[in-house]
Amino acid sequence: DADVTQTPRNRITKTGKRIMLECSQTKGHDRMYWYRQDPGLGLRLIYYSFDVKDINKGEISDGYSVSRQAQAKFSLSLESAIPNQTALYFCATRDRESAEAFFGQGTRLTVV
Amino acid sequence: AQSVTQLGSHVSVSEGALVLLRCNYSSSVPPYLFWYVQYPNQGLQLLLKYTSAATLVKGINGFEAEFKKSETSFHLTKPSAHMRDAAEYFCAVSGTYAGGTSYGKLTFGQGTILTVHP
């Protein structure tokens, strides 16, 4: 099983719909992240969390919200999806000791 | 604040040729620096990292990078390209732990797509 698991892997949704992307990890790391990837823009940070009670906005948090339900679970929500939120979304964890980040396989979201 | 600039969104080399992917960073605290690789339809995989030890860092698959503080650079090189190296490469920066909250923010560059020709 993957250390960082994202569900769903692919999703098509309509404009205005609420959608949740889920991430779970078995690494035991306290730090978790959500990024979106767009061609030519690299990965941009949406939200990050240092523990269950510590949630921080990233560079592009507008239109998104997150929930850290447990140390191992970090969900990203789009309250009212819009077409320019079509992107590849990645969840990651980070090892405090090694500083290395570990990524999930990504969720490809299309908003029509 | 921290940022990363990768020079060249596309790099094309012949098999067996030198690979050079450029990365310049900006950081208000001593940085940790990383190179990640992304193969098609996959997540990101760590190639190598600089965390304030040796300035020449060796990674997986024959890649290496040199941290040059005076040039604020962390360029990625490989002496001889293979077809399997074709992928997208990302440079990333974060603050060291002593820098506080900047440690938690891992900031990526725009990515460089490497094409390897036979």
Side-chain angles (χ1 to χ4, degrees):
Chain A
D1 289 339
D3 295 322
V4 183
T5 303
Q6 293 183 231
T7 55
R9 292 293 310 279
N10 291 280
R11 180 73 181 268
I12 300 174
T13 192
K14 293 184 178 181
T15 297
K17 292 291 188 181
R18 183 180 189 276
I19 183 169
M20 178 182 288
L21 309 183
E22 299 187 343
C23 177
S24 62
Q25 54 120 342
T26 59
K27 303 289 290 183
H29 297 156
D30 53 4
R31 296 173 183 227
M32 297 188 73
Y33 304 79
W34 276 104
Y35 290 90
R36 67 175 277 177
Q37 182 180 13
D38 299 277
L41 297 179
L43 277 76
R44 292 180 292 167
L45 184 61
I46 305 173
Y47 272 95
Y48 60 106
S49 170
F50 288 174
D51 66 38
V52 174
K53 296 182 180 180
D54 184 1
I55 306 290
N56 304 279
K57 292 183 177 181
E59 307 164 295
I60 54 165
S61 59
D62 287 349
Y64 301 95
S65 62
V66 291
S67 173
R68 187 82 182 265
Q69 302 95 323
Q71 187 197 41
K73 295 183 181 296
F74 192 37
S75 301
L76 176 72
S77 294
L78 287 66
E79 296 301 326
S80 179
I82 56 177
N84 76 359
Q85 292 178 312
T86 293
L88 184 57
Y89 290 84
F90 284 104
C91 175
T93 71
R94 193 144 182 234
D95 186 314
R96 187 193 294 251
E97 296 298 323
S98 73
E100 181 178 348
F102 297 84
F103 286 81
Q105 292 296 299
T107 295
R108 187 167 296 281
L109 177 66
T110 302
V111 183
V112 298
Chain B
Q2 59 193 31
S3 65
V4 172
T5 301
Q6 292 184 238
L7 301 176
S9 58
H10 290 81
V11 170
S12 180
V13 301
S14 297
E15 193 170 21
L18 171 72
V19 176
L20 171 60
L21 305 183
R22 300 178 187 271
C23 172
N24 288 90
Y25 71 91
S26 172
S27 177
S28 57
V29 298
Y32 286 164
L33 293 159
F34 308 83
W35 277 99
Y36 282 84
V37 61
Q38 184 182 30
Y39 298 104
N41 300 314
Q42 295 188 25
L44 277 72
Q45 176 185 2
L46 182 69
L47 272 180
L48 49 80
K49 64 182 181 182
Y50 166 77
T51 55
S52 73
T55 56
L56 182 61
V57 180
K58 295 186 183 297
I60 62 172
N61 301 336
F63 285 92
E64 62 182 38
E66 186 172 9
F67 171 66
K68 292 187 176 181
K69 183 178 179 180
S70 61
E71 299 177 7
T72 61
S73 69
F74 191 58
H75 301 329
L76 181 70
T77 61
K78 182 174 181 178
S80 177
H82 292 273
M83 297 294 290
R84 62 176 177 265
D85 295 326
E88 189 163 15
Y89 292 79
F90 294 94
C91 183
V93 64
S94 76
T96 54
Y97 188 72
T101 57
S102 65
Y103 174 87
K105 295 182 70 174
L106 185 60
T107 301
F108 285 83
Q110 303 92 323
T112 298
I113 296 173
L114 176 66
T115 302
V116 182
H117 296 287

